[in-house]
């Protein structure tokens, strides 16, 4: 049994509005075994604050953000992709990301990475993987192999993911930006097919994430009872920017569905210029908040120029656009994210019995999210990580 105590700390537990009075955390065999009491092998952490390890609820581990062409992405060999994924996983955990949810790939390479991280072959965050997303003929990310046009085909696609031991199912409710022949503003499945897909996934024990840009698809996803809505862009049927449908937003809230808006660091560009788009985004977020919608942090890492290890850089942008305090924003990337992903019994907070997923920083993250960008040390399931190690 291996134990260590990190002492003389300032602790934010993941849910409180302020730091706790406890000043030490004991970790035994990768699990938090004690808080606030002296323990074995004490290590003095004077001057550091610790928060739960961060959770990015939407990434694509197989995608290279330096490649803008999907054709070029798909032309990479498995060996090339695996090598890059190993690097990304290491960079993520060094940046304080101890859990990430992978929402789509075509060859289940991210599931292989998940297993290699679990067996300590490579350092990286805990991964939850969806495998091939369910999509329509020529629909968003059809090239990943999850095409279905009937109930039997929907069942077949979900069963195939089940055989590859996915952690959840993803449905492309609408078209997407990076599949040019699809229509982001239009739903890709009828309500009946959407309901069937969710019921089939739930029947196998899976939660469901839904990619939704258009309001039509958002409404169908909400009615079908998905667990998270990705993007939630509120586009009109023609793909133009629209207003938040308050009736649908209230249904999202009433059903306990979480919104994962995939705000990455690059969204800072929307806060430049004349502010028109910034104001539109702020209005969408404020309307959703007024309707009771709950958010979790996500970046869509892997799409062009969105790097996998930059969740901490995105959080300050997210806070400004969504009108969230530092504490509220931190919860979206820790305790709330863990609840939305149904892993709150494992991680997301600093509590006895939870996994030792810890991010140590200098400074005051409850008043300055920027300090999260400079980890002093990261502990992921009990393993210590520092840049360069």
């Amino acid at each position: 049994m291996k134990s260590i105590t990190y002492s003389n700390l300032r602790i934010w537990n993941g849910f409180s509005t302020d730091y706790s009075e406890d000043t030490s955390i004991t970790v035994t065999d990768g699990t938090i075994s004690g808080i606030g009491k002296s323990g074995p092998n004490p290590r003095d952490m004077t001057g550091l604050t610790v928060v739960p390890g961060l959770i990015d609820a939407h990434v694509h581990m197989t995608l290279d953000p330096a490649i803008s062409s999907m054709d070029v992405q798909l032309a990479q060999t498995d060996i090339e992709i695996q090598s890059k994924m190993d690097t990304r996983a290491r960079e993520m955990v060094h940046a304080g990301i101890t859990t990430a949810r992978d929402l789509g790939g075509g060859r289940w390479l991210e599931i292989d990475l998940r297993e290699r991280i679990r067996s300590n072959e490579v350092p990286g965050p805990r991964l939850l993987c969806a495998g091939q997303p369910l999509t329509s003929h020529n629909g968003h990310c059809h090239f990943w192999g999850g095409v279905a046009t009937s109930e039997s085909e929907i069942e077949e696609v979900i069963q195939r993911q089940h055989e590859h031991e996915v952690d959840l199912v993803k449905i492309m409710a609408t078209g997407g930006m990076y599949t040019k022949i699809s229509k982001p503003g239009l739903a890709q499945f009828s309500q009946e097919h959407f309901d069937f897909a969710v019921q089939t996934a739930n029947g196998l024990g899976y939660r469901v994430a839904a990619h939704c840009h258009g309001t039509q698809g958002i409404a169908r996803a909400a009615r079908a009872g998905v667990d998270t809505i990705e993007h939630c862009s509120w586009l009109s049927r023609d793909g133009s920017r629209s207003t938040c449908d308050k009736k649908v937003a209230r249904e999202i809230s009433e059903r306990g569905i979480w919104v994962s808006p995939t705000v990455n660091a690059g969204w800072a560009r929307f806060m430049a210029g004349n502010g028109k788009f910034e104001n539109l985004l702020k209005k969408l977020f404020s309307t959703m908040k007024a309707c009771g919608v709950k958010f979790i942090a996500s970046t869509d890492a892997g799409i062009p120029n969105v790097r996998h290890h930059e969740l901490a850089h995105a959080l300050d942008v997210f806070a400004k656009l969504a009108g969230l305090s530092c504490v509220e924003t931190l919860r979206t990337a820790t305790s709330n994210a863990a609840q939305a992903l149904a892993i709150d019994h494992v991680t997301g907070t600093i509590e006895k019995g939870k996994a030792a997923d810890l991010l140590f920083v200098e400074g005051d993250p409850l008043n300055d999210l920027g300090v999260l960008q400079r980890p002093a040390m990261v502990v992921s399931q009990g393993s210590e990580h520092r840049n360069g190690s």
Side-chain angles (χ1 to χ4, degrees):
M1 187 168 65
K2 182 180 179 182
S3 293
I4 186 171
T5 297
Y6 302 101
S7 60
N8 298 321
L9 281 166
R10 182 167 60 176
I11 301 171
W12 181 66
N13 58 20
F15 51 85
S16 298
T17 57
D18 205 345
Y19 299 106
S20 72
E21 295 180 1
D22 298 317
T23 60
S24 69
I25 301 172
T26 300
V27 174
T28 303
D29 293 338
T31 299
I32 298 172
S33 56
I35 298 176
K37 297 180 180 179
S38 60
N41 301 317
R43 182 184 298 180
D44 186 2
M45 308 297 280
T46 298
L48 295 182
T49 298
V50 64
V51 302
L54 303 180
I55 300 172
D56 191 332
H58 189 136
V59 306
H60 297 279
M61 294 302 297
T62 64
L63 293 182
D64 185 339
I67 298 175
S68 59
S69 165
M70 187 54 68
D71 289 338
V72 176
Q73 293 274 13
L74 297 172
Q76 296 177 98
T77 67
D78 288 359
I79 293 175
E80 288 175 320
I81 295 171
Q82 287 169 335
S83 176
K84 292 179 180 180
M85 284 198 300
D86 288 356
T87 299
R88 290 173 201 140
R90 182 175 61 253
E91 291 174 341
M92 289 168 75
V93 77
H94 284 176
I97 302 168
T98 55
T99 301
R101 187 174 57 157
D102 187 293
L103 290 185
R107 306 198 288 263
W108 301 287
L109 298 177
E110 66 283 353
I111 292 178
D112 175 68
L113 174 63
R114 179 193 70 189
E115 296 308 303
R116 289 189 291 119
I117 291 171
R118 284 179 177 174
S119 62
N120 295 316
E121 290 181 43
V122 294
R126 173 189 298 101
L127 290 179
L128 306 177
C129 303
Q132 297 173 328
L134 185 67
T135 191
S136 60
H137 176 68
N138 285 334
H140 186 43
C141 296
H142 62 90
F143 39 75
W144 277 339
V147 174
T149 59
S150 65
E151 289 190 355
S152 62
E153 289 178 351
I154 289 171
E155 202 166 28
E156 181 183 335
V157 170
I158 294 175
Q159 181 61 36
R160 188 161 66 244
Q161 309 322 305
H162 178 62
E163 291 168 0
H164 281 84
E165 299 182 346
V166 297
D167 300 291
L168 73 152
V169 167
K170 184 183 181 185
I171 303 175
M172 298 300 197
T174 71
M177 310 301 183
Y178 295 103
T179 307
K180 301 303 182 184
I181 56 177
S182 70
K183 304 291 186 183
L186 297 180
Q188 295 195 150
F189 294 99
S190 67
Q191 188 67 61
E192 292 73 22
H193 280 174
F194 212 122
D195 292 347
F196 179 80
V198 172
Q199 291 163 10
T200 301
N202 290 168
L204 290 171
Y206 295 120
R207 295 169 70 81
V208 177
H211 159 104
C212 301
H213 281 302
T215 298
Q216 183 185 53
I218 295 169
R220 291 181 185 177
R223 292 190 196 108
V226 302
D227 296 286
T228 66
I229 290 177
E230 310 302 308
H231 314 301
C232 204
S233 308
W234 303 103
L235 298 184
S236 299
R237 290 170 61 90
D238 63 2
S240 61
R241 289 285 168 179
S242 184
T243 57
C244 171
D245 186 317
K246 293 181 181 179
K247 181 179 178 181
V248 176
R250 282 192 288 268
E251 183 171 8
I252 291 171
S253 173
E254 291 164 2
R255 287 179 173 269
I257 299 168
W258 296 80
V259 167
S260 165
T262 59
V263 176
N264 60 67
W267 282 38
R269 67 187 184 276
F270 300 139
M271 294 186 284
N274 61 19
K276 182 178 180 181
F277 194 47
E278 175 188 359
N279 292 335
L280 172 60
L281 290 172
K282 287 181 175 179
K283 184 176 181 180
L284 290 176
F285 276 115
S286 65
T287 302
M288 284 190 282
K289 285 171 61 181
C291 292
V293 173
K294 300 176 295 183
F295 305 113
I296 54 176
S298 54
T299 63
D300 210 357
I303 64 171
N305 301 312
V306 181
R307 290 176 285 274
H308 294 75
H309 60 283
E310 294 189 342
L311 172 61
H313 294 72
L315 292 180
D316 191 50
V317 179
F318 185 25
K320 289 181 172 66
L321 290 174
L324 302 173
S325 68
C326 291
V327 169
E328 290 171 329
T329 306
L330 272 169
R331 288 176 185 150
T332 70
T334 55
S335 55
N336 286 358
Q339 185 180 347
L341 275 52
I343 54 172
D344 50 315
H345 60 294
V346 174
T347 190
T349 56
I350 297 176
E351 296 180 277
K352 187 176 179 180
K354 298 285 184 74
D357 295 334
L358 309 169
L359 170 56
F360 297 84
V361 296
E362 295 179 353
D364 181 2
L366 298 190
N367 289 290
D368 178 10
L369 294 170
V371 304
L372 300 172
Q373 300 173 26
R374 300 176 293 278
M377 185 176 74
V378 178
V379 174
S380 180
Q381 300 181 68
S383 296
E384 294 183 1
H385 302 274
R386 298 175 187 267
N387 285 330
S389 65

